[in-house]
Amino acid sequence: MSVAVIGAGAFGTALAIALAQTQPITLWARDADHVTEMAKHRENKRRLSGALFPDQLTVSTNLETVLDVDIILLAMPMQALAGFAKANDLSTKTVVACCKGIDLTTGQGPSAILADAAHVAILTGPSFAKDIATGLPTALTLACASADIATQLQQMLSTPTLRLYSSTDVIGAELGGALKNVIAIGCGAVMGAGLGDSARAALMTRGFAEMQRVAATMGAEPETLMGLSGLGDLTLTCTSDQSRNYRLGLALGAGTDFDGAITVEGAATARALRKMARNHGLDLPICLTIADLVDGTLTITGAIDRLLARPLREE
């Protein structure tokens, strides 16, 4: 079966490099100049410099050809996914969403947005592009409503260094990957403001409780959030400045500038959570505080005061 990766950002490129160790892979990018550069240098100097392309990796701007493959990995920003799905017929395809977030306009996750595809899977978990591209051991969750398709994809997309665990809890997998980005912004803000490791640990733990609350409300299985797509990914992104979400939080906490051209999925997800909390009557003090911090309607000092002033309660 043929495989293509749509989206030549750092993560899409890393996946293409890893998969091309064992099979032919096509990597698609919209920018023709970018594709020419990658083909010439055999690396993505713009997004993942230093990670050389294997011989079985081909780059292309021909979307029609790429969409003709059997399995399509969609490694694009979450907020671009709905537009792509609307513009292209995926009804006969097996698609794997590799983006983490909630669509700000519809409040939907990747699986709902891609519902017209023949089969939809979610690939998520604790991973940085550089680690995957350089062959460092990485474990991810691959979730699909069909256990048979999940197993097939698990076999197709695992490599000697990229280990996939299958699941049928699509909602839990995609929510874990989306919500941890919001908590990572908060943890970055804690460290940027100099509040210390103890405060970060507290925010991670109580933030994880909010993640579980949302997941349960949306019909996810509780144990899914305890796995790679939830707790695993949360641990990684809340403790490393390789995470763009964490780096945004660092800048917010320190009161320094952050490059607005960098895609930070957690910012849009935090705003989407504000709507979700209102619609479902969810108590999400940490997530909503982070949303206000991202929007600039709350200072880091105000955020600290708001959370510490909450009534005492049982854990």
Side-chain angles (χ1 to χ4, degrees), residues 2-312:
S2 52
V3 180
V5 178
I6 292 181
F11 194 69
T13 301
L15 286 174
I17 290 172
L19 295 174
Q21 304 292 340
T22 58
Q23 61 188 303
I25 297 291
T26 301
L27 174 64
W28 179 87
R30 177 181 293 105
D31 187 332
D33 290 339
H34 189 197
V35 168
T36 299
E37 290 174 15
M38 289 189 288
K40 177 181 178 181
H41 298 289
R42 300 301 295 166
E43 69 176 295
N44 187 346
K45 289 181 175 291
R46 297 188 188 184
R47 298 288 183 265
L48 198 62
S49 180
L52 298 181
F53 290 176
D55 292 341
Q56 295 193 94
L57 177 54
T58 302
V59 290
S60 175
T61 56
N62 189 330
L63 185 58
E64 183 178 350
T65 299
V66 169
L67 289 175
D68 196 40
V69 303
D70 300 307
I71 300 171
I72 302 169
L73 277 65
L74 298 174
M76 61 186 64
M78 180 63 206
Q79 303 309 315
L81 188 63
F84 181 87
K86 185 177 180 180
N88 297 282
D89 180 13
L90 302 173
S91 60
T92 63
K93 301 300 176 183
T94 295
V95 295
V96 181
C98 306
C99 44
K100 302 174 181 180
I102 299 173
D103 184 72
L104 188 55
T105 301
T106 64
Q108 295 178 320
S111 62
I113 289 173
L114 298 169
D116 289 339
H119 301 288
V120 180
I122 304 295
L123 185 63
T124 186
S127 54
F128 289 137
K130 184 178 179 181
D131 293 348
I132 293 175
T134 54
L136 296 179
T138 304
L140 301 175
T141 297
L142 192 147
C144 182
S146 166
D148 289 340
I149 297 298
T151 299
Q152 291 175 24
L153 290 172
Q154 180 186 34
Q155 296 296 324
M156 280 288 299
L157 303 179
S158 290
T159 76
T161 57
L162 183 61
R163 181 178 177 86
L164 305 187
Y165 287 81
S166 65
S167 170
T168 55
D169 184 12
V170 174
I171 299 300
E174 68 181 17
L175 281 176
L179 302 180
K180 60 86 187 177
N181 284 334
V182 179
I183 309 304
I185 293 173
C187 286
V190 163
M191 300 308 288
L195 302 180
D197 291 327
S198 298
R200 173 169 56 181
L203 190 75
M204 281 180 64
T205 305
R206 297 311 307 161
F208 185 57
E210 293 190 14
M211 289 172 58
Q212 292 175 305
R213 203 172 299 153
V214 173
T217 298
M218 303 308 292
E221 298 172 11
E223 56 267 28
T224 302
L225 271 290
M226 296 300 297
L228 291 166
S229 64
L231 183 59
D233 214 354
L234 178 73
T235 301
L236 183 69
T237 54
C238 289
T239 58
S240 173
D241 60 9
Q242 287 191 66
S243 164
R244 290 169 292 180
N245 295 280
Y246 184 77
R247 292 203 307 273
L248 172 60
L250 283 173
L252 291 171
T256 58
D257 292 333
F258 185 82
D259 185 355
I262 296 175
T263 300
V264 181
E265 299 286 16
T269 301
R271 297 182 180 107
L273 277 174
R274 186 188 288 130
K275 296 180 182 179
M276 185 181 294
R278 182 171 59 248
N279 293 339
H280 294 276
L282 286 166
D283 183 28
L284 305 174
I286 291 175
C287 290
L288 298 186
T289 296
I290 293 168
D292 291 343
L293 188 62
V294 167
D295 282 346
T297 59
L298 189 67
T299 65
I300 186 65
T301 300
I304 297 166
D305 291 345
R306 178 193 288 183
L307 292 175
L308 292 180
R310 284 177 54 79
L312 299 176

